[in-house]
Amino acid sequence: MVDTRTGRVGRVTGRRGTRLRLRALNGGRVWECPQDAVRAATEWEQRNADVLDASWRFWRAAGM
């Protein structure tokens, strides 16, 4: 699944009310996302999830 708020790719690991719990495909921290802010990941996104997650972490640290 893709968190459309951030572009992060993750696997659903649980649910808390209307929020989904996601974990990066290559492991890492769990984060929560509203159910209506996720979409199915494309095949390309699934194959490149580790690169996308590393990029997300870099830009988050640099600008947020």
Side-chain angles (χ1 to χ4, degrees):
M1 303 300 285
V2 176
D3 181 339
T4 59
R5 301 169 307 161
T6 62
R8 290 187 76 187
V9 179
R11 176 176 290 118
V12 176
T13 61
R15 182 183 305 259
R16 182 182 292 173
T18 61
R19 299 180 70 80
L20 298 176
R21 295 179 56 122
L22 300 170
R23 180 181 302 271
L25 297 181
N26 60 350
R29 292 186 182 172
V30 173
W31 76 95
E32 290 190 358
C33 179
Q35 197 170 316
D36 60 349
V38 296
R39 64 172 174 78
T42 65
E43 185 177 330
W44 184 90
E45 288 168 325
Q46 291 175 32
R47 283 194 317 259
N48 293 288
D50 56 340
V51 173
L52 295 171
D53 193 55
S55 177
W56 179 85
R57 283 185 277 120
F58 173 81
W59 288 108
R60 180 173 182 252
M64 293 185 175

